Amino acid sequence: METQIFPTDGQQLKSYWNRPGGKFGTLAALGIIGVIGYYVFPILTKIVWNTVNFGIALACLGIFLYVVTHRKFRLSLFYFYEILMKKLVGIVIELDPFIIAEDYINDMQEEREKLYKQSAEVDGQKEKIDLKIREKEAEINKLMTKAQTAKERNMMPELGNATRQIGRLNEYIKQLTPIRDNLSRIGDYLTRIHKNSAYLIEDAKNELELKRDLYKSVTSGNKALTSALKIFKGDPEKKLLVEQSMEFLKEDIATKLGNMKKAISYSSDFMRSIDLDNATYEKEGLKMLESFNPENEFKLTVSTQTKVSTSITGDFGDLLK
């Protein structure tokens, strides 16, 4: 039996899928590729994203170093920030300055209320210390009486205890007295400030009201004068539109006049050409008249008339003979 290694002319090669073991090999290859992709693709994705993040980090670092090392750029940013803040503050101030003033007066009133509470607290502390001093002074008086009695009865231990306690109480009173005096001065000062702040706030309110009335009056007057000046000056924007429209009219009129002049020029040239043709015709007619010779043109008629007149004269002469 002869084995054919290569197919004959009538046979065709089978595909790998239809060959023995082709299906299993194809599925196995696809499975291997899937397993490799399952483990390799996340690694590749992580590498790509790490590269992108590294590039972004380098760009941010470059911008940061440029900002840090470039003094002009930092100054430009600072000046830009200052200009922006001034513009914002200017816009806020121009919106309604009276709101800012009213808010300032409200802050003053709140601070005055806080001052009253602090002043009351200072006075309370001063009263507490003053009460303690009076209590200690009363206790000293009692101890003085006790010491006098102990001396009279020759009770030396009681006398010693009383005198030592009197000394301690006097020292305690000496320590509290400056604090009480300082608190008293502070309380009096805060009380005066609290009273005077009422006049200050009232004065600020009155000034604000006057400024508001003045502003309203000036604003009304300005609007009235602006309206009056518009009679003479007109609205600038509308005036500009009128000037532009008048300029357009000038250009349009000039263009149309130019076209009219051209039309007149063309018609004048045409009329002159007609006149020139008429003059030519007239000149040709004069030339014809100049070239006209009556003797040559009417020679036959003249000779005939001469002969007739001669014959008539002769006949008339014969008759006279």
Side-chain angles (χ1 to χ4, degrees):
M1 184 175 180
E2 185 178 0
T3 302
Q4 293 181 354
I5 299 174
F6 298 101
T8 59
D9 295 337
Q11 295 178 350
Q12 293 181 354
L13 288 174
K14 295 181 179 180
S15 63
Y16 183 76
W17 179 262
N18 294 322
R19 294 178 187 179
K23 296 180 180 179
F24 177 77
T26 302
L27 295 176
L30 292 175
I32 293 171
I33 293 172
V35 171
I36 294 173
Y38 179 78
Y39 288 102
V40 173
F41 184 75
I43 297 173
L44 294 176
T45 304
K46 189 174 182 180
I47 292 172
V48 171
W49 279 111
N50 288 336
T51 304
V52 172
N53 293 330
F54 181 71
I56 295 172
L58 285 179
C60 295
L61 179 63
I63 294 173
F64 175 76
L65 292 176
Y66 178 79
V67 172
V68 171
T69 57
H70 201 274
R71 185 170 180 272
K72 290 183 179 179
F73 185 78
R74 294 200 308 272
L75 290 175
S76 299
L77 289 178
F78 174 75
Y79 291 142
F80 177 76
Y81 176 78
E82 288 290 328
I83 292 171
L84 182 61
M85 289 299 102
K86 288 181 180 178
K87 292 292 184 183
L88 291 176
V89 172
I91 291 172
V92 171
I93 291 174
E94 289 178 0
L95 288 177
D96 195 345
F98 299 109
I99 294 178
I100 300 173
E102 289 175 354
D103 185 65
Y104 176 72
I105 293 174
N106 292 331
D107 290 340
M108 292 174 65
Q109 290 177 341
E110 292 178 359
E111 292 297 328
R112 185 172 182 270
E113 293 176 358
K114 292 180 181 178
L115 180 63
Y116 176 77
K117 293 179 180 180
Q118 292 174 356
S119 176
E121 185 177 356
V122 169
D123 290 339
Q125 292 295 329
K126 189 258 295 182
E127 291 296 329
K128 289 180 181 179
I129 293 175
D130 197 13
L131 180 61
K132 288 182 180 180
I133 290 174
R134 288 196 296 270
E135 289 176 353
K136 299 306 178 184
E137 288 177 349
E139 187 176 352
I140 288 173
N141 292 328
K142 290 180 181 180
L143 289 173
M144 289 292 292
T145 304
K146 184 178 181 180
Q148 185 69 27
T149 303
K151 182 179 179 181
E152 292 175 353
R153 296 181 181 182
N154 199 15
M155 301 172 64
M156 302 308 293
E158 287 79 2
L159 178 61
N161 290 332
T163 53
R164 284 195 296 271
Q165 184 65 18
I166 290 170
R168 285 192 291 267
L169 291 175
N170 285 325
E171 186 65 24
Y172 181 74
I173 291 172
K174 288 180 181 179
Q175 292 177 356
L176 288 181
T177 301
I179 298 174
R180 181 196 62 185
D181 296 338
N182 290 329
L183 289 176
S184 179
R185 286 193 295 269
I186 292 172
D188 294 338
Y189 179 74
L190 293 177
T191 302
R192 289 196 301 270
I193 292 177
H194 183 264
K195 290 180 179 179
N196 294 327
S197 62
Y199 301 108
L200 180 64
I201 294 173
E202 187 66 24
D203 184 69
K205 289 181 178 180
N206 294 332
E207 184 178 3
L208 179 61
E209 290 299 325
L210 292 175
K211 295 292 185 182
R212 182 183 283 112
D213 293 339
L214 178 62
Y215 180 76
K216 289 181 179 179
S217 300
V218 172
T219 303
S220 301
N222 184 36
K223 289 181 179 179
L225 288 176
T226 303
S227 300
L229 289 176
K230 282 184 179 180
I231 298 175
F232 299 97
K233 293 183 178 180
D235 191 350
E237 295 181 356
K238 292 182 179 180
K239 186 177 181 181
L240 179 61
L241 292 175
V242 171
E243 291 178 355
Q244 291 177 352
S245 61
M246 291 297 104
E247 190 67 24
F248 171 76
L249 285 177
K250 288 182 191 177
E251 294 178 358
D252 189 46
I253 291 171
T255 303
K256 290 179 179 178
L257 287 176
N259 292 331
M260 291 172 65
K261 289 181 180 179
K262 286 183 180 180
I264 292 171
S265 176
Y266 291 153
S267 62
S268 298
D269 293 339
F270 179 72
M271 295 301 293
R272 283 196 297 269
S273 64
I274 294 175
D275 293 339
L276 183 61
D277 291 337
N278 292 330
T280 302
Y281 295 149
E282 292 176 357
K283 191 172 182 179
E284 289 179 356
L286 291 174
K287 287 182 179 179
M288 291 176 63
L289 291 175
E290 290 177 355
S291 61
F292 176 72
N293 190 355
E295 295 179 356
N296 294 328
E297 293 295 331
F298 299 99
K299 186 176 180 180
L300 179 60
T301 307
V302 172
S303 60
T304 306
Q305 289 178 354
T306 305
K307 289 180 179 180
V308 172
S309 60
T310 304
S311 60
I312 293 172
T313 304
D315 294 336
F316 185 70
D318 293 333
L319 290 173
L320 291 176
K321 289 181 179 180

